[in-house]
Amino acid sequence: MRQVSIAHLTELLLDHEPPCISLYQPTHRNHPENQQDPIRFRNLLAEMESSLLQKYPIREVRTLLEKFRALSRDDRFWNHRTDGLAVLSSHDTFQIFELQRSVPELLVVADSFHTKPLLRILQSADRYQILALNCHEAKLYEGNRYALDPVELTSMPSTITEALGNELTEQHLSVGAHGAGAARSARGGAAGNGAVPSIHAHGDKADEVDNDRDRFFRFIDRGILEHHSRPSGLPLMLATLTEYHDPFHEVSHNPFLMADGIMMNSDSLSLEQLRKEAWRIVEPAYIQSLAAMADDFQVARSRGLGSDDVAEIAAAVTEGRVDTLLVEGDRQIPGTIDLITGQVELKDLADPSVRWDRRERQRKADPTLRGDISDPDVDDVLDDLAELVLGMRGEVIVVPAERMPSTTGAVAIYRY
């Protein structure tokens, strides 16, 4: 799974040579539902081509569509989907993100990227990562309360052989377990029944093996911190045998590493079992964190440094005063924000003349509209607030309705 990070979002919000194409669609993990996914994708490509041809020459359009068409023919890609897909492309970038939440089908062709669906997912408060580790190999997963998926380890070693290379000690080991399954476990795989064989080293070799293990753990810790924990900002849970938790924590310098972890060999668990074990540990910390943020807001408001009035928050955002913004998940407030004054103009979606930023609603508003869904008259005030706060280096957290300290859809803590 390709992680989406704040760095990705920040890069996408920069100026790019238009046209900027933003494609979102729900996808499916299992057969037969996933058979419809490439068909829906190709239908969106047909709309995309029609839209682009209205403004750009056919040769340029063909170039813009090349990577999309190659993706549409990639059977392996379509056979391994998550819950949603985002593809954002321009002349200078082509980004694919696999999403763990479904998104409405949406195609936007504009002078800038449409990033709000990514923002909602990126800032959701229930996300976490799992480092599954043994003495031979490391794997990374990212999940939320509903889903868990493998993450490709980038720019770092994932096995002890890759990490230590020629410095790896020749290990004179005997395996104190029986059967082919146990032998596979000694090489870093899963034993058939989840058991892990005993590994015995002789004499000074025991110290050498421990040194190799600790050096491997250090490599993994540094790589995860640099390439995954810092970019994502997500809490990291260790999943490994009980005897490896203390050695890893002793060498780790990762501030995102949780004190609690999964005390078992993750290879003995299915992905769904691993998710359940992780959420059992993450949920109390998640609830405690949201409660603490609600308390911080109440204290800030009592000091005149917080508000749950959307209009007041918008004015404060344009002045650069918002430090932390909590946004209610799945809540939408249709309207626009004046970026100079911060004034909010609300809209009524019951009015059929209002164009919303979903294709279906736009088509009802204007049946002739095809690709020009790039500059909707009405947006979501909450998403706009979130983008503005992030652009001013504030923190945005998407929170479920039952955990919000207000019913207005947003609360803000001010810097001053």
Side-chain angles (χ1 to χ4, degrees), residues 256-393:
F256 300 94
L257 182 62
M258 300 172 63
D260 295 329
I262 298 173
M263 303 287 186
M264 64 180 71
N265 175 21
S266 64
D267 287 336
S268 67
L269 302 174
S270 69
L271 207 58
E272 178 60 14
Q273 288 171 329
L274 186 60
R275 182 199 65 79
K276 288 180 178 179
E277 285 292 324
W279 187 246
R280 180 180 60 81
I281 296 170
V282 170
E283 185 176 24
Y286 162 76
I287 293 173
Q288 182 179 4
S289 173
L290 294 183
M293 286 187 284
D295 290 343
D296 290 345
F297 165 69
Q298 298 297 353
V299 171
R301 182 163 63 174
S302 70
R303 297 173 177 172
L305 293 173
S307 176
D308 64 350
D309 184 286
V310 172
E312 291 179 6
I313 294 172
V317 167
T318 57
E319 295 169 0
R321 293 196 293 122
V322 174
D323 179 71
T324 304
L325 178 71
L326 273 59
V327 176
E328 182 179 323
D330 300 323
R331 176 83 172 267
Q332 294 177 327
I333 300 179
T336 58
I337 301 174
D338 186 308
L339 300 182
I340 303 300
T341 65
Q343 183 175 353
V344 175
E345 182 181 357
L346 300 180
K347 298 290 184 178
D348 181 7
L349 287 185
D351 181 353
S353 67
V354 169
R355 290 169 56 202
W356 190 237
D357 67 354
R358 293 178 61 173
R359 293 187 308 117
E360 292 80 6
R361 185 173 294 279
Q362 289 180 316
R363 282 175 173 167
K364 290 177 182 178
D366 182 356
T368 65
L369 188 66
R370 292 193 62 83
D372 192 19
I373 48 181
S374 53
D375 186 21
D377 297 326
V378 180
D379 220 322
D380 179 11
V381 171
L382 297 181
D383 281 336
D384 284 348
L385 288 174
E387 279 194 351
L388 291 169
V389 170
L390 283 178
M392 297 180 183
R393 299 187 180 277

Side-chain angles (χ1 to χ4, degrees), residues 1-173:
M1 186 186 77
R2 174 84 189 281
Q3 290 174 281
V4 56
S5 68
I6 288 290
H8 289 130
L9 186 64
T10 302
E11 194 276 332
L12 290 167
L13 291 174
L14 298 175
D15 289 336
H16 293 269
E17 182 184 353
C20 294
I21 303 166
S22 306
L23 182 153
Y24 295 89
Q25 76 169 83
T27 50
H28 302 82
R29 293 175 179 268
N30 302 312
H31 184 85
E33 291 85 0
N34 63 0
Q35 290 183 304
Q36 66 181 280
D37 296 339
I39 298 172
R40 297 178 72 170
F41 185 80
R42 286 191 287 269
N43 290 339
L44 286 170
L45 294 197
E47 289 191 36
M48 186 189 304
E49 183 175 22
S50 297
S51 170
L52 291 168
L53 286 173
Q54 293 180 29
K55 297 183 180 180
Y56 300 94
I58 187 169
R59 180 176 297 180
E60 184 175 356
V61 171
R62 285 175 178 169
T63 300
L64 288 165
L65 292 179
E66 280 179 1
K67 292 182 179 179
F68 284 97
R69 286 179 171 150
L71 193 63
S72 73
R73 298 188 296 266
D74 188 341
D75 292 338
R76 186 175 181 276
F77 176 83
W78 292 107
N79 285 333
H80 299 84
R81 291 298 82 234
T82 53
D83 302 294
L85 174 68
V87 185
L88 294 96
S89 176
S90 66
H91 284 289
D92 57 0
T93 189
F94 187 82
Q95 302 280 353
I96 301 171
F97 299 106
E98 299 165 278
L99 311 177
Q100 291 180 311
R101 287 180 170 86
S102 184
V103 289
E105 187 175 292
L106 175 66
L107 174 64
V108 178
V109 179
D111 291 338
S112 61
F113 287 117
H114 181 82
T115 60
K116 291 179 176 63
L118 291 182
L119 176 66
R120 286 273 170 162
I121 291 170
L122 183 64
Q123 299 304 120
S124 293
D126 63 346
R127 298 168 65 221
Y128 59 88
Q129 293 182 337
I130 300 174
L131 174 59
L133 187 66
N134 58 39
C135 281
H136 306 275
E137 185 179 17
K139 299 175 184 177
L140 186 66
Y141 299 88
E142 184 173 316
N144 54 40
R145 71 181 80 183
Y146 305 113
L148 183 70
D149 293 288
V151 173
E152 181 182 357
L153 291 176
T154 57
S155 305
M156 61 171 287
S158 61
T159 68
I160 192 169
T161 304
E162 294 171 344
L164 302 187
N166 294 332
E167 298 179 9
L168 181 62
T169 303
E170 183 180 353
Q171 299 177 12
H172 298 277
L173 305 177

